[in-house]
Amino acid sequence: MLSEYPKLLQVEPTNKCNYSCSMCLNAFGNSENHFLSLKSFQSLAEEIFPNLDKLVLYGFGEPLIHPDFIEMLEISRKYLPPESIVSFTTNGSLLNKNKVDAIVDRHLADEIVFSCDMLLNNKIKPELHSLENENVEANLRYLIERNANKKVRIGIQSVLMKSNVNQIEGIISKFGSMGIDFIALSHLFPFFDNLQEEVLFTMISQEALSILKENSNQWKEIILGVSKEKFAEKMQETYKQLYKNKANIKPKIRPFSEIYGKAQAKAKEKNVHLNISLYIKEKDRLKALYELEKLFKKFSNIAEERDIELILPAIFPKFSDRKCPFQTANASVIRSDGNVVPCFKYLWDHESYLNNHVRKNSSFTFGNIHQKPFLEIWKSEQYLKFRLKVEEMNKTIPYCGDCSLSSNNCFYAIEDTSDCWGNMPFCSECPYSLNLTKCII
């Protein structure tokens, strides 16, 4: 049964940011910067905050750029139940001593997450890099010092990439010894073409991968239906028969059809498909992903030694565990222009470079709080239908990662429309549902 109210609300105070990290949608800047007005935030708080378990303040922008951010925290505390959690994510550059003092002394937040991707790579604005890193670390250390009573849960969030994965161990060691509570690692969402080579996961499910590996060296031949040797033999036989007696030519049974049939039968038992074309393309890269599994174990041991929680993404997604993290949390998202969207993925227009193809993803909205009350949007027929769909997404929403058509320019996978089962918005290729890319919610 769907809830009458969301239990978690993510609000984007602004989409403007003072950084241009290469892995972020803000890398080239937004065409238009938005700031959610304090008046709109106040109205939203009066309407919905008393029913929330958690409020998360962040989106694609830096929340502390908002001139009324501290006032937003004050309003949140006023209208949220005493046991509710207030959380925000920041790059840390603007979290100065005055803001830290206000937040800690008045207990305006329960959780503060530092997004420190700039500490892992040099792909931000060069003029900001050196200075701002020192500033961010100083702000983090001051927050930890002022948070001696541990009322605020402090964490670090970072994006895993091929170019920075070997620095993660140092990050865990360095910041783990500072006194933070957790480190959350997420895989990269490839918004841009040049980021495809930085991705450290596969979209092929564990269930499908186990079947594909059984005949790993034969899939090209199985798809063609014949090996190189058999092909030469068949050609010779065909030519002989062709010139001897055309009427005697009989169709040949594909030599690997039995193997292919058995593989498909196993896939059906596990309720998955076999994306053979993606497997052939990624087969060599999979070796590096198995090595990454070993690195993850090492990272976990280091974190355990320092008594901090380490949150890791999946590397090989499990189809049977696919679920929408926002639906699971009974969450909704409001972006900085007031539009109510289903999840973080649909905040703003963007491209994705997943599953061996590019896709244009347009933002998707159920309504705008400047035009309708939030609860009217939340209870609308369109939003209710969507929430029902994603509640059991393995039954109602197809999965592109295990479909060879999606890796070969399938219309539904590359066009910004519904999926092949008619669902809108398009959730069939969502890495968030597979615990690959992660949000702090």
Side-chain angles (χ1 to χ4, degrees):
M1 185 176 177
L2 296 179
S3 172
E4 188 177 0
Y5 301 96
K7 291 301 178 184
L8 186 152
L9 188 65
Q10 180 179 343
V11 179
E12 179 187 59
T14 179
N15 63 339
K16 183 179 180 180
C17 190
N18 57 330
Y19 279 138
S20 295
C21 300
S22 66
M23 79 292 293
C24 180
L25 200 55
N26 271 317
F28 300 113
N30 288 304
S31 57
E32 186 178 0
N33 292 318
H34 298 279
F35 292 83
L36 187 67
S37 71
L38 199 60
K39 181 180 178 181
S40 296
F41 191 81
Q42 172 78 31
S43 298
L44 186 66
E46 293 173 3
E47 179 189 12
I48 196 67
F49 283 17
N51 298 287
L52 295 180
D53 292 337
K54 186 174 183 180
L55 175 69
V56 178
L57 297 174
Y58 85 101
F60 274 111
E62 167 53 45
L64 287 163
I65 283 181
H66 198 295
D68 302 318
F69 184 69
I70 296 298
E71 287 82 354
M72 285 181 164
L73 292 176
E74 290 172 341
I75 290 170
S76 302
R77 272 287 176 243
K78 180 179 178 181
Y79 289 96
L80 286 166
E83 66 276 9
S84 293
I85 295 170
V86 180
S87 173
F88 69 89
T89 296
T90 173
N91 61 37
S93 63
L94 303 177
L95 193 61
N96 56 37
K97 289 185 177 182
N98 289 337
K99 287 187 172 68
V100 169
D101 290 342
I103 292 168
V104 173
D105 291 343
R106 287 140 63 187
H107 191 209
L108 298 180
D110 302 283
E111 182 179 77
I112 299 176
V113 184
F114 277 62
S115 180
C116 70
D117 303 307
M118 60 281 197
L119 298 174
L120 297 176
N121 68 84
N122 296 325
K123 296 181 179 180
I124 64 169
K125 290 181 179 178
E127 65 270 21
L128 293 175
H129 183 256
S130 178
L131 175 65
E132 292 299 332
N133 276 357
E134 293 175 7
N135 185 37
V136 168
E137 187 171 329
N139 291 343
L140 176 58
R141 288 185 181 277
Y142 184 73
L143 173 62
I144 292 170
E145 178 186 326
R146 289 288 285 107
N147 189 45
N149 58 11
K150 287 287 185 179
K151 285 188 176 181
V152 181
R153 189 166 183 255
I154 302 172
I156 284 178
Q157 181 185 34
S158 291
V159 175
L160 279 167
M161 298 186 290
K162 186 177 180 181
S163 61
N164 70 26
V165 67
N166 291 326
Q167 300 176 47
I168 297 294
E169 183 178 339
I171 293 295
I172 297 172
S173 298
K174 177 178 180 178
F175 293 99
S177 61
M178 279 188 188
I180 64 168
D181 298 293
F182 68 93
I183 294 177
L185 300 178
S186 169
H187 284 300
L188 170 75
F189 191 108
F191 293 115
F192 310 111
D193 186 15
N194 65 324
L195 294 177
Q196 291 186 78
E197 296 303 316
E198 293 283 352
V199 170
L200 291 172
F201 62 86
T202 180
M203 295 291 285
I204 304 171
S205 71
Q206 292 182 26
E207 293 91 335
L209 190 60
S210 65
I211 299 169
L212 290 165
K213 285 168 60 181
E214 291 177 10
N215 302 287
S216 60
N217 296 320
Q218 301 182 72
W219 282 114
K220 280 186 181 179
E221 297 171 356
I222 290 172
I223 292 302
L224 291 172
V226 64
S227 66
K228 293 177 182 178
E229 293 78 13
K230 289 287 184 182
F231 181 75
E233 291 175 14
K234 285 183 69 176
M235 287 301 292
Q236 288 179 355
E237 289 177 16
T238 300
Y239 279 122
K240 286 179 183 178
Q241 291 176 349
L242 182 63
Y243 288 108
K244 183 178 179 181
N245 186 352
K246 292 182 181 180
N248 291 333
I249 299 177
K250 296 179 180 180
K252 297 288 184 179
I253 297 174
R254 289 160 65 101
F256 287 98
S257 60
E258 186 178 349
I259 295 174
Y260 182 79
K262 287 181 178 179
Q264 290 290 4
K266 289 181 181 179
K268 188 175 181 180
E269 287 177 6
K270 296 185 178 184
N271 194 32
V272 296
H273 297 278
L274 299 179
N275 192 344
I276 300 171
S277 57
L278 184 61
Y279 178 75
I280 291 170
K281 183 178 184 296
E282 293 195 335
K283 192 168 67 170
D284 292 335
R285 194 175 72 87
L286 292 175
K287 297 174 184 176
L289 300 187
Y290 292 122
E291 291 300 312
L292 183 61
E293 282 189 313
K294 297 176 184 177
L295 267 182
F296 272 20
K297 290 179 182 178
K298 186 177 182 181
F299 296 161
S300 296
N301 291 335
I302 296 170
E304 187 176 353
E305 290 170 3
R306 285 156 179 75
D307 195 29
I308 60 172
E309 181 185 1
L310 180 64
I311 302 168
L312 292 169
I315 301 172
F316 303 96
K318 193 172 183 181
F319 175 77
S320 59
D321 289 344
R322 187 174 69 134
K323 58 187 176 183
C324 172
F326 286 85
Q327 173 61 23
T328 301
N330 198 6
S332 186
V333 184
I334 300 173
R335 71 185 194 190
S336 49
D337 63 355
N339 277 308
V340 179
V341 302
C343 63
F344 187 83
K345 177 174 172 281
Y346 276 106
L347 268 174
W348 300 99
D349 295 350
H350 63 84
E351 291 182 342
S352 61
Y353 290 82
L354 294 164
N355 202 6
N356 198 33
H357 68 85
V358 59
R359 176 180 173 81
K360 175 68 177 177
N361 296 274
S362 293
S363 58
F364 189 93
T365 178
F366 294 108
N368 192 293
I369 61 170
H370 299 146
Q371 299 166 359
K372 295 179 182 179
F374 171 80
L375 280 178
E376 185 178 334
I377 299 169
W378 173 254
K379 296 177 182 179
S380 67
E381 183 180 1
Q382 185 187 25
Y383 207 164
L384 285 170
K385 283 183 177 179
F386 170 77
R387 287 156 54 203
L388 281 170
K389 284 277 187 181
V390 295
E391 195 168 35
E392 293 187 280
M393 64 188 309
N394 275 1
K395 296 179 180 179
T396 58
I397 298 172
Y399 176 51
C400 293
D402 283 339
C403 176
S404 285
L405 294 176
S406 66
S407 296
N408 289 281
N409 294 319
C410 164
F411 167 79
Y412 294 100
I414 64 173
E415 292 290 331
D416 191 22
T417 56
S418 66
D419 63 35
C420 58
W421 291 4
N423 300 307
M424 290 184 69
F426 185 88
C427 299
S428 303
E429 204 169 42
C430 176
Y432 294 95
S433 70
L434 296 158
N435 192 32
L436 296 170
T437 50
K438 301 171 74 72
C439 285
I440 301 293
I441 57 171

